[in-house]
Amino acid sequence: MCYTYTVPDLNKRRPENTQGPFYVDATCIDCDACRWIAPASFREVDGQSAVYAQPAGDAAQMAALQALVACPTASIGVTDPALQARTKDAVASFPRVIAGNVHHCGFHAENSFGAASWFITRPNGNVMVDSPRFAMPLVRRIEQLGGIQTLFLTHVDDIADHEKWARHFHCRRVMHADDARGLNIEHPVHGRAPHRLDDELLVIPTPGHTRGSACLLYADKYLFTGDHLAWSPRRGHLVAFRDACWYSWDELKVSMRALADFRFEWVLPGHGRMHHAPAAEMAAALQRCLDWL
Ligand code: SF4
């Protein structure tokens, strides 16, 4: 698997970085990915990320290198040759297991503003949720894992390289019809009623962030939410993004209330933070979100 590490322009290194081999440069688009992938090393300072603590030890260094690989704008640099040599291990770590057979794809795409994408391996057909960069090391790993049978797109903002993934893996794309206009989606979903794809996969239309936003519930456990619902560490509860609500805040609230009918233990968003809790606690967390809305 070929991967060549290129050091970003050191002249663009942000002065807010702490001294050491890892740094963020001025091209950062503040997508937040590095801050949740390697929270011990990266934080937001003045609207962009910066390294606030140089990673010490193998695990922290690998997390920082995974953030470097995931960064949609190649804004993270590392100057130590020994650490540069380990970027190939970080590349090979994607898709990385989050829980069970659910993986984080890494390789976030700039044209989906660095949204996270996810990958489920299943005997009855692998699923990718939203589109990462069509990067060949990731493509090869996904081939080894059995390819993609279904590419679920939560909404129109996070589709990135969906055409390349669909063409390469001959997979069906599933997306709500209200966001799918002009995209030649093989399996558009219509209306507001939940739509079952198979015994494990349920599409739940959640209009609000966009008209055609939808969540995917897998195995009554994992809810992939796009930009509809995410955990906010700052607020300490689940939230929606009022400042990034492109269609209707009122519709979003209706969609959020409808989610209370479903059981799940994981929230896996495009933007914002993931959250895991037992189903009863998650239901309480969703209720706190509804109260807050
Ligand atoms: S992943 Fe890259 S673009 Fe996103 S916040 Fe971190 S440095 Fe900035």
Side-chain angles (χ1 to χ4, degrees), residues 24 28-35 49 71-73 75-76:
V24 176
C28 167
I29 59 170
D30 194 30
C31 75
D32 190 45
C34 59
R35 303 195 291 258
S49 283
C71 176
T73 47
S75 303
I76 300 173

